Amino acid sequence: MAGARTGGVTGRSGLRRGRWPLLAAVAVDSLGTGLYLPLSMLYFLRVTDLDLVAIGVLTSVSTALTLPLPLVVGKLVDRFGPRLVVAAGQALQGTGFLLYLLVSGTGSLVAAMLVTTAGLRVYWSSVFTLIADLADAENADAAGTDAVGADGKDHWFARAGMIREAGAGGGALLAGAVLAVDSARVYDGLILASGLAFLAAALVVALAVPAVPHAAPPAEGRSGYGALLRDRPYLALIAISTIFATCSTFLSLSLPVYVIQGLSGPDWAPGPLLALNTLLLATCTAAVTRFVRRRCTRARAMAWAGGLWALWCAASASAVLLPSRALVPFLVAVVVCYTLAEMVYGPASNALAADAAPTGSRGTYLAAFQYSFAGANVLAPTLFGVLFSRDRLLPWLAVGLLAALGAALMLLLAPRLPREHGPRQRVAAAPAVPPQDRSPRRSPRP
C-alpha cells in the first residue's frame, strides 16, 4: 500500500531552519536564470562561428525539445519525492554551465543548451511541490499552537518569490556588467562560478533541506495524469492561470516598446520602471500576501489580481492622453498597479494549485500547472507583436479583456475547487494527520 515518505524532521524549529537552504538554492537558481540567456547568447557568439540568428534558432529548438519533460518529472516527484528531483535539476543546470566551457561548434552548443534547459525544466517542475510539502509539514507541526496554519503555504511561496525576483534581478545586473567588460576571461570565470554555484546548491538541497512526508501514488485506482485529465476543475484552473500568466509576462515584453515607440517617451524610462517592478516584488510580496490572505480566499485573491491587471491595461492605454511632463510619474503609478497584481496573484495561485491537487498526485499536478507559464511565454510575444503592429492600443484592450475574463471565470470556478481554510482560521489543536489521509474534498460536480 502506498504511503507517505518520511524523513528526519524533528520539529518546527528544524523546518524553519530548513527554509534557508531551500531559499538559498532558489536564489542561486534565479541568479543563474538572470544570467542564462544574455550571457549564453554573447558567449556562444565569441566561441563559435555561428551568427546570432543561428544561435537564436538553436536556443528555441533546445527549449522546445525540453517542453515534454515536466510530464516525466511530475511522475518522478510523486514516486520518489521532490527533494532529490530538485537537486537533480540544479545539478543538471550546473553541468550545463560547465559544458559551456567546452562549446566550439553546433553539436557542443546544442548539447550544453539541452542539458542546461533540461535542468531548468526539472527544477521548476519539482520545486513548487517541495515548497508545498515543507509548508504542509510546518503547518502540521504547528498544530496546537496559535500559528495561522492556513496561511503557511502562501508565505512560503511569497518568500520564495521574493528571493527569486532578487536573484533574477541580480543576475540581469551581473550580465549587464559582464557585457560592459567584454572580456573572454571574465566570461569564462563567470560561467565557471555559475556552474559551481548550481552544483553547490544541489548539494545543499540534497543534504540540508529537511526530508518531509510526501504521499506516494495509491496502489489502486486512477492517479497521475489519468486523474488529471478527468479533473475538469483543475484543468480549468490551468487554463485560467494561463490567462493570468499572459498578463504577468506582459510588462517586460511590452513596456520598453510601448513607452518609446507608442508614447514617444524618454529612452531612459523603461529601465528604471522595470527595476521598480523587481524591487517591489523582491521586498513587499510577503507583506502583501499576509494582508490579502487575512481578508479573502486564494481564488478571490486571484480574481482581484485579474481586476488589477485590467485596471493596469486601462491606465496604460490612457497614457496616450497625457502631456509629456506627466508621463513618467503616471507610468510609475501604472507599474505599481501591475506589480501589486503580481504580488497578489503569485503566492495565491501556487498555494491554490498545490492544495487543489489530490494526495499522491501533487507532483504530477504541479508539474502540469507549470504549463500555464509555458503557454503564456509562447502566446504573449506573438499577441503583443501582432496587435501592436496594427494599433498601439490594441494590446492593452486585448489583455485587459483577458484579465477581466480570467477574474470572472475564477470566481465561477472557485466553488468547484477544494474548500479552503477560512482566511482567518487557525490550526486546531489536533494530532498531525498523515498526508495520505488528508485528501481534499471537492464539491459535487454536475
Side-chain angles (χ1 to χ4, degrees):
M1 179 178 292
R5 295 172 180 80
T6 59
V9 176
T10 58
R12 197 176 185 199
S13 61
L15 284 163
R16 286 194 177 276
R17 288 194 300 270
R19 285 185 182 187
W20 300 108
L22 177 59
L23 293 179
V26 170
V28 169
D29 195 278
S30 301
L31 186 69
T33 301
L35 286 169
Y36 168 62
L37 197 56
L39 183 62
S40 61
M41 295 289 278
L42 186 62
Y43 184 76
F44 293 147
L45 280 172
R46 295 184 66 95
V47 299
T48 70
D49 295 328
L50 300 172
D51 59 20
L52 188 60
V53 173
I55 293 173
V57 170
L58 292 174
T59 301
S60 298
V61 170
S62 300
T63 301
L65 288 174
T66 61
L67 281 175
L69 266 180
L71 300 175
V72 178
V73 173
K75 300 289 287 185
L76 291 175
V77 167
D78 285 332
R79 183 62 58 186
F80 302 108
R83 186 166 55 97
L84 295 181
V85 180
V86 170
Q90 294 205 298
L92 279 172
Q93 289 181 81
T95 303
F97 266 99
L98 294 181
L99 288 175
Y100 278 20
L101 301 174
L102 304 178
V103 169
S104 59
T106 301
S108 54
L109 184 152
V110 170
M113 279 195 165
L114 277 175
V115 173
T116 306
T117 310
L120 197 67
R121 295 277 181 219
V122 171
Y123 174 81
W124 287 113
S125 300
S126 55
V127 70
F128 292 105
T129 304
L130 179 58
I131 293 171
D133 284 356
L134 286 166
D136 280 345
E138 183 176 271
N139 288 347
D141 196 65
T145 72
D146 61 354
V148 184
D151 294 349
K153 193 178 280 92
D154 302 74
H155 290 308
W156 274 78
F157 281 118
R159 294 289 182 188
M162 290 168 65
I163 295 292
R164 186 168 66 246
E165 288 296 328
L173 287 174
L174 193 53
V178 171
L179 297 180
V181 173
D182 196 24
S183 165
R185 183 170 297 178
V186 172
Y187 296 154
D188 289 343
L190 187 55
I191 287 171
L192 177 61
S194 298
L196 294 177
F198 274 111
L199 295 176
L203 285 175
V204 168
V205 171
L207 301 178
V209 172
V212 294
H214 179 78
E220 298 178 357
R222 190 181 293 272
S223 63
Y225 291 108
L228 174 61
L229 292 175
R230 293 169 59 91
D231 192 339
R232 284 186 282 182
Y234 202 92
L235 294 177
L237 177 63
I238 294 174
I240 295 170
S241 295
T242 303
I243 292 176
F244 288 141
T246 301
C247 299
S248 181
T249 60
F250 224 68
L251 181 75
S252 59
L253 181 72
S254 63
L255 185 68
V257 176
Y258 183 60
V259 170
I260 296 172
Q261 295 186 12
L263 299 175
S264 299
D267 292 350
W268 57 263
L273 289 171
L274 292 174
L276 173 64
N277 167 251
T278 300
L279 178 64
L280 291 175
L281 288 173
T283 57
C284 301
T285 302
V288 171
T289 297
R290 188 179 302 112
F291 177 86
V292 171
R293 185 65 180 130
R294 289 174 179 172
R295 287 162 176 80
C296 65
T297 63
R298 293 161 182 158
R300 191 166 292 274
M302 292 170 67
W304 273 109
L308 286 169
W309 272 317
L311 177 62
W312 163 65
C313 287
S316 296
S318 68
V320 299
L321 304 174
L322 295 176
S324 58
R325 65 180 179 277
L327 182 60
V328 172
F330 181 77
L331 289 176
V332 169
V334 169
V335 168
V336 170
C337 177
Y338 167 92
T339 307
L340 183 60
E342 276 203 291
M343 290 190 286
V344 171
Y345 172 75
S349 62
N350 284 315
L352 179 59
D355 278 353
T359 301
S361 294
R362 174 179 277 177
T364 298
Y365 272 54
L366 288 185
F369 185 72
Q370 297 309 303
Y371 280 111
S372 62
F373 301 98
N377 287 332
V378 172
L379 173 64
T382 301
L383 182 67
F384 177 74
V386 170
L387 295 179
F388 188 81
S389 66
R390 300 195 174 196
D391 189 287
R392 61 181 175 173
L393 298 183
L394 276 181
W396 307 111
L397 175 62
V399 175
L401 290 174
L402 279 175
L405 175 64
L409 292 175
M410 196 66 231
L411 293 175
L412 292 174
L413 178 64
R416 302 186 65 196
L417 294 170
R419 187 176 305 160
E420 296 181 39
H421 293 294
R424 297 178 181 273
Q425 185 171 343
R426 297 182 181 270
V427 178
V433 181
Q436 66 268 31
D437 296 330
R438 291 192 287 111
S439 301
R441 298 191 175 195
R442 298 183 184 273
S443 53
R445 300 177 190 170

